[in-house]
Amino acid sequence: MDRVSSFDEPLKKLLGGATAKVMAEHLDLHTVGDLLHHYPRRYEERGKLTALADLPLDEHVTVVAQVADARILMFNNGRGKRLEVTLTDGSGRLQLVFFGHGVHKPHKELLPGRQAMFAGKVSVFNRKMQLAHPTYQLLDASDADEATEAVDAFAGRLLPIYPACKQLDSWRIAKAVDAVLPSAQDAADPLPASLREGRGFTPLPEALLKVHRPQTKADVEDAKARLKWDEAFVLQVALARRRYADTQLPALARRPVADGLLDAFDAKLPFTLTEGQEKVSEEIFDDLATDHPMHRLLQGEVGSGKTMVALRAMLTVVDAGGQAAMLAPTEVLAQQHHRSITEMMGELAEGGMLGGSDRGTKVVLLTGSMGMAARRQALLDLVTGEAGIVIGTHALIEDKVQFHDLGLVVVDEQHRFGVEQRDALRSKGKQPPHLLVMTATPIPRTVAMTVFGDLETSVLDQLPAGRSPIASHVVPATDKPHFLARAWERVREEVENGHQAYVVCPRIGDDAEEAEGKKGKAKKKAAEEDPEKRPPLAVLDIADELRKGALAGLTVEVLHGRMHPDEKDDVMRRFAAGDVDVLVATTVIEVGVNVPNATAMVIMDADRFGVSQLHQLRGRVGRGSAPGLCLLVSEAHEASPARARLSAVAATLDGFELSRIDLEQRREGDVLGQAQSGVRSSLRMLTVIDDEEVIAAAREEAVAIVAADPELEHLPELRTVLAALLDKDREEYLDKG
């Protein structure tokens, strides 16, 4: 059998149809290779063979002994059953105990006089040593040699415990692994020999053997080091090849023009750019000046001035004769960007209009809810090239939207867009346009290297001058109700000082939402019995309470995703103009909303939001010269993980630190998200959180290998393993990034 095909062998050939079917349906394991890469989650230690007289407390032991006595006892008025078995080995006695449904099998098998091996952890009950629910294997007393062999195989072994399912438990998976383990010898080793030897890695067949059937703990460590590296390395090679392929695509170089739109814009800026903004702008300008498409991820703390950097990039492209499109995830955000960009540009955003600058261009907005006439005009401005900059939602992606010469696509809040959407917009250029992806969600370096590994990364980590610090506090509403009353007093004080405030709630509380909750009555009953289960607080209810109570006399308005777009825009305009004192909203304000006069934010049921979401929300205050205040209201118990999370958010304004805490709490599953499922399903041993050094080192090696041999002509095994990793879905995932 050749090296590749034994790994591709369907499991049903070796294991039989029924087992193979369960593995395919419940564990997504289809081939021999899949099963060999289904690694044990942990290992149970049985301990060396011990005499009953020498049993150590609290340790895993294995004993060989004879059953002296076995009896079933009833307890709990006959509702509970307990099987007690007494063992003897000539040196001492030991009691075993089995409870509940676990008594039937041992009661039939552990008859007085039978000899068996038992493994478990030694504890003390009623001053007697015992093993609770031990694993055991009966021995055939008639064949002494076979019994000795069985004892050696059973004792002192690390027993692999596999990720299992209800239909197939760990020991049956272990038996299936035994059946396919000989195929490990045929594993195609993806590592070039020089790299493997240079880093002192175990050969792959040996690593697979050691991970499934380790003799010692050192075997497990050895195997893990090798298998982690393989996962990181193969993924980084795939990403390095993607980056290399991008450098081979043609794009129009867009170089800055002297005395153009960018210079005119810079000249009228009322402030100087931060060092970070200057540095990142240079990186972007260098990319735009090359004749292959830029693929850059711009990470920046909330309020670090990413929009300014993106706008300067867009102006450079307009100067060079192209057009720039900015894609925003929501209408509120698209309108906000349009408003702030036209304000920043002033007459430069009115090219061709009366009073506009002769060096200016048109900046148009395109969203799904625009009126027909405005929409038609915007589409016309794009196709003629009259509009150099367009800001819009996914309405930009529709077929009828055509550009004169699309040179740059800026995607705001990358994680909210499907990769297909990003791609559809890119396909509207005559040649692939340059791409700048922005996110205000700080991404730990390892995740950036793994999930966004096909993008070069720029980080803006200093806040522009004039930004104010934000004080954050947890308000324990249950333990200290007077703290909540004080929170509303603080909001009133901010308004009396001429400022404004946000109140954020997790839910809207309208009819549509109630209709969705068909189990509403049951939930209400459960909530009355257990306040932990009450539904999250709602915008409409809280706004109502505040108008009648704590904030009576102030202008309190609501904002949520189910309002008509015109209504939303009207509320935002009035809030930005200072006509609304307090805005009670859902997380629609999470991204990009910019009202410098808003200084206070109260987040209700704060424990129901994620760490990065709280950080995003908090970034809506402290955007002007007055200090910001963020109050995290929670009914969570003081000792709960939810409260610990809130305390972490209150303790630091460093988004990268928070993203690490967030990642540690959630693990990578939902950080990598569904769109990244290709990556997730290929990472079995590697954890994006803990293995930063492995990922960084693998990336370095991968870049060097791809630079020397882009097609991997001299590394056929690596090509084979890549092909297996990059099945159709994953290939597409990497393609679209």
Side-chain angles (χ1 to χ4, degrees):
M1 189 181 286
D2 72 41
R3 307 180 65 168
V4 183
S5 60
S6 67
F7 262 47
D8 292 338
E9 192 83 63
L11 285 171
K12 60 172 174 277
K13 269 194 176 176
L14 288 162
L15 304 179
T19 305
K21 188 169 186 250
V22 172
M23 285 192 167
E25 285 175 6
H26 297 280
L27 297 169
D28 197 22
L29 305 174
H30 307 272
T31 64
V32 167
D34 290 344
L35 183 52
L36 285 172
H37 289 301
H38 186 70
Y39 306 129
R41 190 173 44 224
R42 60 186 176 83
Y43 301 86
E44 210 167 75
E45 295 177 63
R46 284 189 169 151
K48 293 276 178 265
L49 208 51
T50 314
L52 295 189
D54 308 327
L55 289 180
L57 198 59
D58 277 341
E59 281 190 27
H60 288 276
V61 298
T62 298
V63 298
V64 173
Q66 197 171 29
V67 177
D69 175 46
R71 57 205 169 132
I72 285 196
L73 304 172
M74 300 298 210
F75 60 95
N76 217 351
N77 290 334
R79 286 200 296 276
K81 264 185 198 175
R82 181 169 79 235
L83 170 66
E84 286 184 1
V85 178
T86 307
L87 302 180
T88 174
D89 71 347
S91 76
R93 292 169 87 80
L94 175 67
Q95 191 161 317
L96 312 180
V97 58
F98 300 87
F99 292 100
H101 297 302
V103 307
H104 306 303
K105 188 167 177 262
H107 188 228
K108 274 195 242 161
E109 294 181 337
L110 299 179
L111 303 170
R114 283 303 310 252
Q115 193 170 29
M117 288 178 289
F118 302 89
K121 194 175 180 183
V122 184
S123 58
V124 170
F125 181 70
N126 276 348
R127 295 205 292 276
K128 278 187 192 163
M129 293 265 199
Q130 72 166 24
L131 298 182
H133 278 286
T135 50
Y136 63 88
Q137 189 173 321
L138 299 172
L139 295 173
D140 183 358
S142 62
D143 187 338
D145 286 348
E146 199 176 301
T148 308
E149 217 172 276
V151 170
D152 288 345
F154 184 86
R157 224 0 127 62
L158 288 171
L159 190 71
I161 306 296
Y162 287 92
C165 59
K166 200 166 73 182
Q167 296 76 4
L168 200 64
D169 50 28
S170 173
W171 68 267
R172 282 175 62 200
I173 295 172
K175 276 184 87 163
V177 170
D178 283 337
V180 302
L181 213 44
S183 301
Q185 293 309 317
D186 304 327
D189 196 325
L191 296 193
S194 57
L195 193 160
R196 191 179 70 235
E197 285 150 21
R199 290 188 173 265
F201 286 130
T202 305
L204 184 57
E206 198 184 313
L208 288 169
L209 211 58
K210 282 180 169 178
V211 79
H212 288 293
R213 298 295 171 261
Q215 301 292 323
T216 62
K217 286 184 179 172
D219 280 355
V220 176
E221 291 316 307
D222 236 20
K224 280 188 170 176
R226 168 67 214 254
L227 296 167
K228 268 184 184 184
W229 176 274
D230 278 15
E231 287 179 6
F233 176 70
V234 172
L235 183 60
Q236 290 303 334
V237 169
L239 292 165
R241 290 185 76 196
R242 176 70 48 233
R243 289 193 300 275
Y244 178 83
D246 285 339
T247 65
Q248 306 306 299
L249 286 174
L252 273 179
R254 312 280 180 172
R255 294 184 180 86
V257 172
D259 292 332
L261 196 49
L262 178 64
D263 285 351
F265 174 74
D266 283 351
K268 64 194 283 299
L269 277 180
F271 52 81
T272 53
L273 298 172
T274 65
E275 246 175 81
Q277 286 174 317
E278 293 277 13
K279 180 175 143 291
V280 170
S281 288
E282 282 311 312
E283 290 171 351
I284 291 170
F285 293 156
D286 288 348
D287 282 359
L288 291 174
T290 59
D291 49 14
H292 57 82
M294 163 171 82
H295 285 93
R296 192 165 279 282
L297 172 69
L298 173 55
Q299 294 191 59
E301 278 289 10
V302 174
S304 58
K306 289 184 304 299
T307 311
M308 171 63 69
V309 169
L311 177 55
R312 294 182 76 236
M314 293 198 282
L315 296 176
T316 302
V317 170
V318 174
D319 273 343
Q323 291 169 294
M326 183 184 241
L327 189 58
T330 62
E331 295 212 348
V332 167
L333 189 52
Q335 287 160 342
Q336 173 84 34
H337 275 318
H338 183 252
R339 206 161 34 241
S340 64
I341 283 174
T342 47
E343 277 166 18
M344 282 195 276
M345 286 176 65
E347 76 281 4
L348 296 173
E350 295 163 2
M353 293 150 78
L354 208 58
S357 159
D358 53 355
R359 280 191 289 189
T361 186
K362 238 183 186 182
V363 178
V364 299
L365 176 69
L366 189 65
T367 64
S369 63
M370 282 168 69
M372 270 317 290
R375 188 181 170 77
R376 201 174 291 124
Q377 184 58 51
L379 291 172
L380 188 64
D381 288 341
L382 285 179
V383 78
T384 59
E386 189 83 11
I389 295 177
V390 58
I391 294 143
T393 54
H394 49 82
L396 277 177
I397 295 164
E398 289 167 14
D399 290 343
K400 58 173 85 96
V401 180
Q402 290 184 344
F403 290 84
H404 176 64
D405 178 13
L406 180 60
L408 170 67
V409 173
V410 178
V411 180
D412 194 19
E413 289 308 319
Q414 144 73 17
H415 60 286
R416 299 186 165 218
F417 282 101
V419 283
E420 290 80 6
Q421 292 170 307
R422 196 169 100 182
D423 239 36
L425 187 50
R426 275 167 62 186
S427 67
K428 291 184 178 290
K430 291 173 186 162
Q431 285 188 316
H434 297 281
L435 174 71
L436 179 65
V437 169
M438 302 198 296
T439 178
T441 307
I443 302 163
R445 180 165 164 259
T446 46
V447 179
M449 284 192 293
T450 314
V451 181
F452 301 108
D454 61 332
L455 300 168
E456 300 299 330
T457 305
S458 295
V459 178
L460 274 177
D461 47 12
Q462 51 185 151
L463 293 183
R467 275 299 164 88
S468 303
I470 305 168
S472 307
H473 304 284
V474 179
V475 177
T478 322
D479 315 349
K480 299 176 178 167
H482 59 286
F483 275 35
L484 183 57
R486 176 71 189 118
W488 299 127
E489 280 171 27
R490 282 292 290 113
V491 169
R492 200 176 265 285
E493 285 163 17
E494 288 297 312
V495 172
E496 281 163 7
N497 288 332
H499 297 301
Q500 294 155 279
Y502 297 100
V503 176
V504 181
C505 303
R507 204 165 58 95
I508 300 171
D510 60 2
D511 297 343
E513 219 171 33
E514 300 310 322
E516 279 168 24
K518 291 171 187 162
K519 299 172 185 154
K521 284 180 183 165
K523 275 187 187 162
K524 200 171 173 192
K525 186 170 183 291
E528 282 160 10
E529 289 164 17
D530 179 1
E532 288 283 304
K533 289 186 183 145
R534 68 161 172 72
L537 295 170
V539 166
L540 302 178
D541 304 341
I542 294 291
D544 222 28
E545 281 174 33
L546 292 175
R547 285 186 191 114
K548 292 173 185 161
L551 302 182
L554 303 186
T555 319
V556 177
E557 292 280 6
V558 301
L559 182 73
H560 59 75
R562 281 215 193 83
M563 287 162 64
H564 187 277
D566 292 349
E567 214 182 332
K568 275 194 276 199
D569 200 37
D570 176 55
V571 171
M572 269 319 296
R573 271 179 198 286
R574 288 190 294 118
F575 188 62
D579 302 338
V580 173
D581 299 322
V582 179
L583 187 63
V584 184
T586 56
T587 54
V588 291
I589 61 148
E590 177 189 346
V591 174
V593 171
N594 183 25
V595 179
N597 191 45
T599 53
M601 175 175 284
V602 180
I603 303 179
M604 307 302 290
D605 276 346
D607 48 280
R608 307 215 185 196
F609 296 99
V611 170
S612 56
Q613 206 171 22
L614 291 169
H615 183 58
Q616 287 279 359
L617 287 164
R618 170 171 64 185
R620 301 301 110 217
V621 296
R623 299 177 78 85
S625 51
L629 172 69
C630 178
L631 301 173
L632 306 166
V633 179
S634 168
E635 289 183 10
H637 189 273
E638 196 168 355
S640 66
R643 271 288 282 280
R645 209 168 61 227
L646 294 182
S647 302
V649 173
T652 178
L653 291 172
D654 180 343
F656 286 93
E657 175 56 28
L658 286 173
S659 70
R660 181 166 277 283
I661 292 167
D662 194 19
L663 198 49
E664 277 165 4
Q665 288 185 338
R666 295 190 294 158
R667 304 309 288 180
E668 42 266 352
D670 47 349
V671 176
L672 298 185
Q674 274 325 102
Q676 271 54 294
S677 61
V679 165
R680 198 159 87 228
S681 50
S682 67
L683 299 187
R684 294 190 171 87
M685 191 63 85
L686 191 76
T687 54
V688 173
I689 307 159
D690 307 322
D691 297 319
E692 181 164 338
E693 282 162 26
V694 177
I695 294 169
R699 181 177 171 121
E700 229 169 274
E701 295 277 12
V703 168
I705 280 168
V706 171
D709 181 4
E711 295 306 314
L712 307 178
E713 282 169 21
H714 306 296
L715 298 167
E717 283 88 357
L718 178 54
R719 253 202 343 261
T720 301
V721 174
L722 261 184
L725 166 79
L726 301 179
D727 56 30
K728 194 85 188 84
D729 297 347
R730 293 178 203 159
E731 178 72 77
E732 276 179 10
Y733 148 68
L734 283 171
D735 239 340
K736 295 167 182 170

